[in-house]
């Protein structure tokens, strides 16, 4: 086998081990420290699969949302920040009604992918939730610059300018 095939085979083996570790953690419900350690081991074995989102869903369903956040922070700290995981962490922060933490997480993701319109959109939503309308407008302007056909971003900009009684801007983005 070539080096590429060996590497791919190794990644598949790691992925299967990660899923196995996650399955062991599921068997240990209710979720305790040993189960959490198994989830951490699963993620360390299989960082690029669905193990982390699966673990998040499990933790939320068992009422351990704060552990899900710790898991994202641990993962990002262990492997360095990964935009995909930062987005998931920011989404969870937003779900848990912590928009300021979501803003920080999305900003970190933007450092890695400054032209990612999805991150700008989510950042704008978090700014709106934290009552920072000016910053939300700036994020949405980035979205329309990057994706001129994004009608949802135009609509949200129209709403924000309406809230500020800036009728000309509002009309421009609503049309």
């Amino acid at each position: 086998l070539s080096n590429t095939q060996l590497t791919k085979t190794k990644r598949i083996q790691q992925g299967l081990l990660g899923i196995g570790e996650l399955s062991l953690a599921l068997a240990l419900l209710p979720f305790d420290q040993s189960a959490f350690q198994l989830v951490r081991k699963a993620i360390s074995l299989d960082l690029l699969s669905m193990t982390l989102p699966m673990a998040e869903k499990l933790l939320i369903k068992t009422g351990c949302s704060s552990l899900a956040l710790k898991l994202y922070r641990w993962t990002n700290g262990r492997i360095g920040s990964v935009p995909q995981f930062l987005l998931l962490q920011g989404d969870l922060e937003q779900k848990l009604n912590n928009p300021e933490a979501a803003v920080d997480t999305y900003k970190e993701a933007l450092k890695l992918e400054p032209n990612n319109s999805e991150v700008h959109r989510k950042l704008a939503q978090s700014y709106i939730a934290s009552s920072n309308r000016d910053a939300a407008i700036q994020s949405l302007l980035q979205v329309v610059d990057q994706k001129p056909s994004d009608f949802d971003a135009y609509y949200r900009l129209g709403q924000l300018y309406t809230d500020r009684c800036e009728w000309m801007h509002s009309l421009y983005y609503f049309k």
Side-chain angles (χ1 to χ4, degrees):
L1 294 173
S2 69
N3 283 343
T4 304
Q5 290 172 322
L6 287 173
T7 302
K8 190 173 184 179
T9 302
K10 178 89 171 153
R11 286 181 61 210
I12 290 170
Q13 289 172 341
Q14 294 277 334
L16 291 173
L17 285 172
I19 290 169
E21 293 291 336
L22 184 60
S23 298
L24 284 173
L26 288 169
L28 292 174
L29 290 176
F31 224 69
D32 61 4
Q33 190 63 28
S34 60
F36 183 66
Q37 293 301 322
L38 285 170
V39 171
R40 289 177 88 172
K41 185 175 178 187
I43 290 167
S44 69
L45 290 169
D46 183 24
L47 291 170
L48 301 177
S49 77
M50 294 304 294
T51 304
L52 188 59
M54 286 171 55
E56 174 199 343
K57 286 179 182 20
L58 166 73
L59 289 166
I60 289 172
K61 283 185 180 184
T62 58
C64 300
S65 299
S66 62
L67 279 179
L69 280 174
K70 286 181 183 179
L71 198 54
Y72 278 120
R73 291 179 184 134
W74 175 82
T75 302
N76 284 318
R78 182 166 182 326
I79 63 169
S81 296
V82 174
Q84 173 191 357
F85 293 155
L86 288 169
L87 280 175
L88 292 170
Q89 180 182 333
D91 293 348
L92 183 56
E93 293 280 10
Q94 189 72 4
K95 279 183 209 170
L96 296 175
N97 200 26
N98 193 356
E100 292 83 10
V103 164
D104 293 340
T105 303
Y106 293 138
K107 281 182 174 179
E108 191 175 336
L110 278 176
K111 288 177 188 172
L112 301 170
E113 292 184 345
N115 296 323
N116 187 326
S117 62
E118 180 185 2
V119 179
H120 282 288
R121 175 189 317 287
K122 291 178 181 229
L123 181 59
Q125 291 170 341
S126 295
Y127 278 136
I128 291 168
S130 62
S131 300
N132 189 345
R133 306 252 188 236
D134 293 336
I137 287 172
Q138 293 307 309
S139 290
L140 287 170
L141 288 171
Q142 289 290 323
V143 173
V144 297
D145 282 347
Q146 294 165 9
K147 290 179 78 176
S149 62
D150 191 326
F151 300 113
D152 183 60
Y154 282 97
Y155 180 77
R156 289 173 188 252
L157 279 165
Q159 287 178 316
L160 289 167
Y161 281 118
T162 298
D163 292 345
R164 290 170 53 170
C165 299
E166 293 185 28
W167 309 118
M168 295 305 287
H169 283 104
S170 176
L171 286 172
Y172 174 80
Y173 288 105
F174 276 136
K175 75 171 185 160

